[in-house]
Amino acid sequence: MAIIFITGLSGVGKSSALVQLEKEGYNVVDTDYGYVKSIRNEGVEERIWDEEKITRLLEQYKHSHLIISGCYSNQGKFNHFFDYIVLLKADLNVMLDRINKRTSHDYGKNPEERAEVIDSYENVLPLLEKRSDIIIDTTHNGINEVCRRLKELL
């Protein structure tokens, strides 16, 4: 039994991987939906994991496989729950192109959010790389390869 946490910036393929794995019958949760709350941090609104909800989720699946995804500043508090922390990453121009083309939601398309994505690429990605057990570059790896590598961890 394994709990795999997939993290990464917007546009790297986290949601696509979860959709594919769910179709194949795996337990998956995209924590962007229903597991996040907004707080004010130094006058700026920040979205973080709702720690009570995440704890309940992880406790619920501690005796079965679970693959979850997300990227939030407080995710490190839960690293001890994860058997593997998998970072999906891609070249910046690939991420921005994917963001422009996606239809599932609009995050990253307006100038302010696009600047957030670029800032995260420069400042957050190096931190994620340090804290990840496995890094999968999705620049040239399609969703089938990403899913194959994730399934090998179960």
Side-chain angles (χ1 to χ4, degrees):
M1 302 301 149
I3 297 179
I4 298 171
F5 174 51
I6 304 170
T7 192
L9 304 178
S10 188
V12 297
K14 298 182 306 290
S15 296
S16 297
L18 289 187
V19 167
Q20 180 64 34
L21 291 166
E22 185 174 41
K23 286 179 186 176
E24 296 178 26
Y26 292 92
N27 296 322
V28 303
V29 174
D30 185 339
T31 63
D32 288 350
Y33 306 98
Y35 294 90
V36 178
K37 66 180 181 180
S38 293
I39 62 165
R40 293 210 69 65
N41 187 6
E42 298 179 16
V44 177
E45 187 171 321
E46 179 183 4
R47 291 172 38 92
I48 61 169
W49 268 350
D50 183 318
E51 295 179 15
E52 289 179 22
K53 289 181 178 181
I54 294 293
T55 299
R56 282 195 305 272
L57 171 70
L58 296 172
E59 287 293 329
Q60 177 185 349
Y61 285 94
K62 68 182 175 185
H63 298 296
S64 61
H65 294 308
L66 177 65
I67 304 168
I68 70 169
S69 72
C71 190
Y72 295 94
S73 63
N74 63 336
Q75 68 193 37
K77 293 180 179 181
F78 296 90
N79 286 354
H80 64 281
F81 282 98
F82 308 133
D83 294 286
Y84 299 99
I85 300 170
V86 179
L87 171 65
L88 301 186
K89 65 182 240 177
D91 292 345
L92 180 59
N93 60 332
V94 171
M95 290 171 45
L96 295 174
D97 186 56
R98 290 175 182 167
I99 289 167
N100 284 337
K101 291 178 180 175
R102 72 177 164 205
T103 58
S104 57
H105 59 86
D106 288 333
Y107 177 77
K109 293 184 180 183
N110 74 45
E112 182 178 287
E113 292 169 345
R114 188 174 200 82
E116 287 176 11
V117 170
I118 294 168
D119 181 70
S120 292
Y121 187 85
E122 295 169 354
N123 297 300
V124 176
L125 182 58
L127 301 174
L128 295 174
E129 289 174 327
K130 289 179 184 176
R131 294 182 177 97
S132 298
D133 300 309
I134 298 163
I135 299 173
I136 302 173
D137 190 328
T138 66
T139 301
H140 302 292
N141 285 312
I143 197 66
N144 290 334
E145 175 63 15
V146 170
C147 291
R148 182 191 67 76
R149 293 194 53 197
L150 291 169
K151 291 184 286 188
E152 286 179 347
L153 301 174
L154 296 174

